[in-house]
Amino acid sequence: DAGITQSPRHKVTETGTPVTLRCHQTENHRYMYWYRQDPGHGLRLIHYSYGVKDTDKGEVSDGYSVSRSKTEDFLLTLESATSSQTSVYFCAISRTSGLGTDTQYFGPGTRLTVL
Amino acid sequence: QKEVEQNSGPLSVPEGAIASLNCTYSDRVSQSFFWYRQYSGKSPELIMSIYSNGDKEDGRFTAQLNKASQYVSLLIRDSQPSDSATYLCAGPLGGADGLTFGKGTHLIIQP
């Protein structure tokens, strides 16, 4: 299994509070991704990173920000959580970009509930 | 909008039979496709990747890609109850980093 951990694994928070999710990898992979998974929508890309301090938006980036200060850590922040951000969040990593032949490997996920 | 389409199922297949999962996509540029298996409450796990037209076999699994028809499929031979899961098709569509996923097909293998 790819060395990817996510923390916390479960979180319940209230509307309007800030939330930060952490993804940590031990594979030294360049690319890291944040997805959310919701019933009826499947997995959707939120943000991704192609190196330290290099990030870009995905399909559903509104309301989210990210940071990557070290190769191994990729943080996802909900500045002011809303109920629509209740979801399961997955981090993924790959050696090269998704445009190539490289595979993305997924972390165990974080289940976030915003009340 | 670049999309990946899958039949959500459930697809019910008897144990020992062949399960056939299908996926269509809307982007002629895509170079590679991936099939992931996801058990309930777990993260997606890579089953197969395919990069060129034709078939690719790995054990009981065969992936098929037809770029002209924008169609990719996964065949599971000798289906086992442990194959019961949701299968996700994904590709890097639209020239962007990251994968575009289908909504998944729920497969049930009946003992």
Side-chain angles (χ1 to χ4, degrees):
Chain A
D1 289 345
I4 311 170
T5 57
Q6 292 185 232
S7 59
R9 295 293 313 280
H10 299 86
K11 186 172 181 66
V12 179
T13 191
E14 294 188 349
T15 297
T17 60
V19 176
T20 295
L21 308 182
R22 180 183 184 233
C23 177
H24 178 79
Q25 59 144 333
T26 59
E27 306 295 323
N28 200 35
H29 282 10
R30 179 182 176 190
Y31 281 74
M32 299 185 75
Y33 309 82
W34 278 108
Y35 292 88
R36 59 178 290 176
Q37 186 173 37
D38 306 287
H41 289 279
L43 279 156
R44 293 178 292 174
L45 182 66
I46 305 171
H47 280 280
Y48 66 96
S49 170
Y50 46 97
V52 173
K53 299 190 187 302
D54 292 324
T55 66
D56 206 347
K57 297 179 179 180
E59 177 189 358
V60 290
S61 60
D62 287 349
Y64 301 94
S65 62
V66 291
S67 65
R68 191 168 177 199
S69 59
K70 298 184 291 185
T71 298
E72 57 266 34
D73 290 327
F74 192 31
L75 304 181
L76 177 70
T77 298
L78 291 65
E79 300 290 348
S80 178
T82 67
S83 59
S84 65
Q85 293 175 313
T86 292
S87 187
V88 179
Y89 291 85
F90 288 103
C91 174
I93 65 173
S94 67
R95 282 186 299 111
T96 60
S97 77
L99 283 175
T101 59
D102 204 19
T103 301
Q104 291 186 20
Y105 297 95
F106 284 80
T110 294
R111 183 173 295 277
L112 176 67
T113 302
V114 183
L115 301 175
Chain B
Q1 176 106 8
K2 305 297 183 183
E3 293 185 335
V4 175
E5 301 277 353
Q6 292 182 259
N7 187 323
S8 62
L11 174 65
S12 184
V13 174
E15 183 176 358
I18 295 174
S20 178
L21 305 165
N22 304 310
C23 175
T24 59
Y25 58 94
S26 63
D27 183 4
R28 292 186 176 275
V29 176
S30 293
Q31 298 299 312
S32 54
F33 282 90
F34 304 90
W35 281 100
Y36 287 86
R37 177 177 64 198
Q38 187 175 26
Y39 294 114
S40 180
K42 301 296 184 181
S43 60
E45 170 193 13
L46 180 73
I47 297 297
M48 291 283 288
S49 57
I50 186 164
Y51 313 118
S52 57
N53 277 325
D55 296 357
K56 178 183 177 182
E57 185 174 322
D58 184 1
R60 296 187 297 112
F61 300 95
T62 299
Q64 300 172 320
L65 175 60
N66 184 325
K67 292 187 178 182
S69 300
Q70 296 176 226
Y71 175 91
V72 59
S73 66
L74 179 70
L75 300 177
I76 306 174
R77 290 180 299 280
D78 188 23
S79 296
Q80 303 297 310
S82 59
D83 294 326
S84 297
T86 296
Y87 288 79
L88 307 172
C89 172
L93 302 189
D97 282 314
L99 294 174
T100 299
F101 282 82
K103 295 178 182 178
T105 298
H106 183 204
L107 176 65
I108 299 171
I109 306 300
Q110 294 186 325

